[in-house]
Amino acid sequence: MNEMTKIGTAKDWESDQEVRWCPGCGDYAILKAVQRTMPELGVRPEDTVFISGIGCSSRFPYYMETYGFHTIHGRAPAIATGVKLANPDLDVWIITGDGDALSIGGNHTMHLLRRNLDCQILLFNNEIYGLTKGQYSPTSRIGTRSPSTPFGSVDRPASPCAFALGSGARFVARGIDVHKKLPEVLKAAHAHKGAAFIEIFQNCIVYNDDVFAPFTEKANAAEGQLWLEHGQPMLFAGGTKGLRLNLDHLHLEIVDVVDGDWQAAGVQVHDVANRSVAHMLVELPFGAFPMALGVLYDDPRPSFEEAVVAQNQQVAEGKAPDLQKLVAKGQTWQVEKQPRVD
């Protein structure tokens, strides 16, 4: 865990590259949130790497005054793994989208999470392929009309956070591109030792505008957003409603809270280490329930690069490096016969 010592200002994390997203894109808000948060994480630009795949979000590394890789479609986790193993002291961030991470990159994302590489994964979810002009993506809802689904998608969408939990992620969170609490979620992810997965609801103003408005719009926020905090009751709608765990059927249900007495209503207190409740939270159907936001699950365990480094040290103990011996190890032979000359 890095000490929270402020280093520099947001300007120190801004590159000299022109930011090239559509005007009004939610990516701008996420970029600013990250740049404002970085000085408070106790890390330096020269020790930080942003790695992306392909998609609108994947231009992100160009705009950060750090090291960065703009890699190929879905393969950012593979590059990030190599970077972290080569230098475990680097602070590694993966920037990806719903198509990049959950379609062609689904296999790579899964293995990164189960291995628990120490990094932060920011998945920008706009429920559409924006860079390729609006085709439906793995997270698009049933009925989504796009050039590739002109009569409406019939696919059941993937849930990024459910995917992450199912892959063995030890930190799962949600945020909103323009919300003031996004930096707090970023800080919590960075403080977690291991793979920290954040789904960020990001508005695509051109191809999927206002798809999240039912819970992101100011008029809908109170009823539509449930911001979770460890050790605090699961309250929303200005504290007049909450979530209670129904022990008979093992599911969450909405209850009314009278005069602020959430204990009497049996409102569940959020425990970030409770994996079972985290699964319930990510599976809550929006509309009938508010959207669960913030840190849903946080229960660290040893990271992948820690295990690799420890194993390498154990294997190398008491041995002197000998490149020639290594090259000659195993099956070797020497060709004595001279090549035939015609």
Side-chain angles (χ1 to χ4, degrees), residues 51-52 69 71-72 75-84 92 108 117:
I51 301 171
S52 65
F69 285 92
T71 70
I72 58 178
R75 270 60 177 182
I79 302 299
T81 300
V83 168
K84 194 68 177 181
V92 175
H108 292 271
L117 187 80

Side-chain angles (χ1 to χ4, degrees), residues 215 217-226 236-238 290:
F215 65 89
E217 287 290 336
K218 186 176 181 180
N220 304 327
E223 292 278 349
Q225 297 178 18
L226 168 63
F236 65 103

Side-chain angles (χ1 to χ4, degrees), residues 114-170:
R114 74 171 179 83
R115 286 175 176 146
N116 199 36
L117 187 80
D118 186 25
C119 63
Q120 293 75 235
I121 306 129
L122 309 188
L123 187 151
F124 296 20
N125 182 13
N126 55 21
E127 296 188 4
I128 207 77
Y129 277 107
L131 188 65
T132 47
K133 306 302 181 285
Q135 290 89 348
Y136 82 119
S137 85
T139 58
S140 296
R141 302 171 198 186
I142 293 174
T144 298
R145 291 180 179 270
S146 75
S148 50
T149 54
F151 304 110
S153 169
V154 297
D155 286 7
R156 185 170 297 280
S159 165
C161 288
F163 173 87
L165 283 170
S167 299
R170 310 297 297 188

Side-chain angles (χ1 to χ4, degrees), residues 152-327:
S153 169
V154 297
D155 286 7
R156 185 170 297 280
S159 165
C161 288
F163 173 87
L165 283 170
S167 299
R170 310 297 297 188
F171 180 102
V172 176
R174 281 192 184 130
I176 299 171
D177 51 10
V178 296
H179 203 282
K180 63 182 180 180
K181 289 188 178 181
L182 180 57
E184 296 305 315
V185 178
L186 296 172
K187 291 176 188 177
H190 188 264
H192 176 88
K193 180 64 176 177
F197 180 92
I198 307 176
E199 176 189 10
I200 303 175
F201 295 110
Q202 176 256 321
N203 189 47
C204 176
I205 196 167
V206 175
Y207 297 110
N208 214 15
D209 192 23
D210 287 337
V211 70
F212 304 119
F215 65 89
T216 59
E217 287 290 336
K218 186 176 181 180
N220 304 327
E223 292 278 349
Q225 297 178 18
L226 168 63
W227 282 94
L228 299 161
E229 185 177 345
H230 179 64
Q232 296 300 315
M234 297 181 182
L235 297 171
F236 65 103
T240 63
K241 296 181 181 179
L243 295 186
R244 178 175 64 192
L245 180 60
N246 185 314
L247 296 177
D248 292 329
H249 301 285
L250 289 180
H251 64 73
L252 293 170
E253 58 189 12
I254 295 176
V255 293
D256 292 322
V257 177
V258 180
D259 297 329
D261 193 353
W262 58 267
Q263 292 100 330
V267 174
Q268 181 80 5
V269 173
H270 185 44
D271 177 5
V272 292
N274 191 323
R275 191 177 186 85
S276 297
V277 173
H279 274 284
M280 295 180 193
L281 288 166
V282 303
E283 296 288 0
L284 289 176
F286 178 73
F289 289 87
M291 182 62 67
L293 299 160
V295 179
L296 283 70
Y297 181 62
D298 184 0
D299 189 15
R301 69 178 179 189
S303 64
F304 178 65
E305 76 284 352
E306 283 180 323
V308 172
V309 169
Q311 185 182 66
N312 289 344
Q313 290 175 341
Q314 183 180 12
V315 172
E317 189 174 351
K319 298 177 182 179
D322 188 336
L323 181 59
Q324 185 58 40
K325 184 178 179 181
L326 178 64
V327 171

